[in-house]
Amino acid sequence: MKKIFTLISVALCAMSVNAQEQWSASSLDLATGVTSAPNTTATLKKVETVYNLKDGAQPDEATVKADATSALELNNYTFVASTDNVTLTGISTPNTGTEEKDIWKFAGADNVKLNKANLADECLIEFDNQYVLAGNGNPSLAVYEYFFTNSDGDPVGPRYYETYWTPGCGSAPLKGCFYKIDVKSAGKLVLGFFLNKNLASNPLYFVDAATNTLVPNEALTIQGFRQNCNFEVEQGGTTKLTTFGLNDDRFIVIPEGLGGGTNRPLYGYLTVEVPAAGAYYLFSPKSQMGVYGFQFTGGGTGINTVKAAELNANAPIYNLAGQEVSKGYKGVAIQNGKKMILK
């Protein structure tokens, strides 16, 4: 029979008095805080010949990958932001031909409307009204460069085919723009973020770096607002942040009655209870994603107090990667929607 260890009240009280650590993107000095180094991890290749197809047609992806042989040199552009228990690393590996001024940039400066979350009556964190994001670079595993001729016979390019990161690929992103978050202890992590348009086709990924698997939806809370959309307003005029869900494909679910389509940016907060020291990745394939900053409240375990009598003993058990495990599993697990330690 498994033993379920519950948290004692002393630990819960200690959690309430722990200090918060916070970093805002506005404190980043892009001129001196961004470093550059060669990208040596991804498959980076280019096609030496120029495709001359009928009427300026482009070659298909399989053809380009088969013909790509020469090494393609790309650089990583990285910044690091740290507090006592959290280190956030922003990594951008753009395609060739991108100017350095487009690698990392600020957006939202002096425009309070872009961080309307600060105006909510129940605002979580008042991050400064500025977020940092990369000009381009979708998270991927490989990139292939090619040129082709248009209908006038002139060369066009460079164009690229990329192998985008997908759940289950077994690797971290090796190229593109993504964020790595290293946490030294258990606690609550809140990330202020910007996610660009087309929410219905641009998933939001929060990945456990140890396993390169997605953290389960139920472990994440997403709150915020969409550009040009009003807050949810209760009777009496209280202005609240909207809570958004994620579906099985990790697309943002827009609550009914909120109004508007999916083609609007999302400005908000992602909150997760981190159960122990570890590392995570945050990114969205095929979409720009920026960060306002982060706040961390340490000392917690991220594990709910659970009594054995409250559990359905026959309910499925999952690890933190969302994978169903056997009854002999040991460690932090999720059953009946609750986190617990099994031994």
Side-chain angles (χ1 to χ4, degrees), residues 48 102 131 145 164 169 203 205 241 270 323:
E48 292 294 341
D102 295 324
Y131 59 90
E145 178 186 279
Y164 293 111
C169 67
Y205 290 149
L241 294 172
L270 183 150
Q323 302 163 324

Side-chain angles (χ1 to χ4, degrees), residues 95-150:
N95 295 325
T96 58
T98 302
E99 296 183 22
E100 289 195 26
K101 67 180 180 64
D102 295 324
I103 305 304
W104 288 105
K105 60 184 178 181
F106 285 125
D110 301 321
N111 186 349
V112 73
K113 293 181 179 179
L114 282 182
N115 195 7
K116 196 185 293 183
N118 283 348
L119 304 180
D121 295 337
E122 298 182 3
C123 169
L124 287 182
I125 303 167
E126 291 192 13
F127 287 119
D128 292 339
N129 186 46
Q130 196 170 55
Y131 59 90
V132 62
L133 79 166
N136 54 44
N138 298 318
S140 60
L141 303 177
V143 59
Y144 305 87
E145 178 186 279
Y146 66 95
F147 289 78
F148 67 100
T149 57
N150 60 22

Side-chain angles (χ1 to χ4, degrees), residues 149-202:
T149 57
N150 60 22
S151 57
D152 296 327
D154 298 323
V156 178
R159 296 289 174 87
Y160 305 91
Y161 279 117
E162 296 188 51
T163 303
Y164 293 111
W165 191 95
T166 56
C169 67
S171 170
L174 301 178
K175 184 262 179 189
C177 174
F178 56 98
Y179 303 91
K180 186 173 184 286
I181 303 105
D182 292 279
V183 183
K184 294 182 180 179
S185 66
K188 183 174 74 172
L189 177 66
V190 182
L191 292 156
F193 72 91
F194 158 84
L195 183 61
N196 210 350
K197 301 177 181 180
N198 301 317
L199 300 180
S201 58
N202 293 329

Side-chain angles (χ1 to χ4, degrees), residues 41-318:
T41 57
T43 301
L44 309 171
K45 294 183 179 180
K46 60 182 177 180
V47 179
E48 292 294 341
T49 60
V50 178
Y51 292 103
N52 187 5
L53 304 177
K54 184 178 180 181
D55 297 326
Q58 298 187 50
D60 59 39
E61 185 173 359
T63 299
V64 170
K65 289 184 177 181
D67 293 344
T69 55
S70 299
L72 179 63
E73 294 183 1
L74 298 179
N75 287 330
N76 295 326
Y77 293 86
T78 304
F79 72 83
V80 179
S82 296
T83 58
D84 289 342
N85 286 285
V86 179
T87 298
L88 182 145
T89 305
I91 304 167
S92 175
T93 309
N95 295 325
T96 58
T98 302
E99 296 183 22
E100 289 195 26
K101 67 180 180 64
D102 295 324
I103 305 304
W104 288 105
K105 60 184 178 181
F106 285 125
D110 301 321
N111 186 349
V112 73
K113 293 181 179 179
L114 282 182
N115 195 7
K116 196 185 293 183
N118 283 348
L119 304 180
D121 295 337
E122 298 182 3
C123 169
L124 287 182
I125 303 167
E126 291 192 13
F127 287 119
D128 292 339
N129 186 46
Q130 196 170 55
Y131 59 90
V132 62
L133 79 166
N136 54 44
N138 298 318
S140 60
L141 303 177
V143 59
Y144 305 87
E145 178 186 279
Y146 66 95
F147 289 78
F148 67 100
T149 57
N150 60 22
S151 57
D152 296 327
D154 298 323
V156 178
R159 296 289 174 87
Y160 305 91
Y161 279 117
E162 296 188 51
T163 303
Y164 293 111
W165 191 95
T166 56
C169 67
S171 170
L174 301 178
K175 184 262 179 189
C177 174
F178 56 98
Y179 303 91
K180 186 173 184 286
I181 303 105
D182 292 279
V183 183
K184 294 182 180 179
S185 66
K188 183 174 74 172
L189 177 66
V190 182
L191 292 156
F193 72 91
F194 158 84
L195 183 61
N196 210 350
K197 301 177 181 180
N198 301 317
L199 300 180
S201 58
N202 293 329
L204 176 64
Y205 290 149
F206 191 72
V207 181
D208 186 332
T211 60
N212 289 310
T213 55
L214 297 173
V215 173
N217 284 352
E218 58 267 26
L220 308 175
T221 301
I222 299 171
Q223 297 169 284
F225 77 102
R226 291 182 303 143
Q227 188 179 43
N228 301 325
C229 287
N230 293 328
F231 287 112
E232 178 183 354
V233 179
E234 292 182 328
Q235 187 174 2
T238 301
T239 306
K240 298 175 61 180
L241 294 172
T242 299
T243 298
F244 296 87
L246 289 172
N247 63 20
D248 290 343
D249 295 320
R250 305 304 170 105
F251 298 143
I252 299 291
V253 178
I254 300 172
E256 292 185 9
L258 187 60
T262 61
N263 194 30
R264 293 175 178 176
L266 176 64
Y267 304 84
Y269 307 98
L270 183 150
T271 302
V272 58
E273 291 282 351
V274 179
Y280 301 88
Y281 297 109
L282 175 69
F283 58 91
S284 178
K286 301 185 179 181
S287 177
Q288 284 181 302
M289 187 169 192
V291 291
Y292 283 106
F294 63 81
Q295 185 186 84
F296 181 75
T297 306
T301 64
I303 303 169
N304 293 324
T305 300
V306 183
K307 294 181 181 178
E310 296 174 347
L311 299 178
N312 174 4
N314 295 321
I317 302 172
Y318 301 91

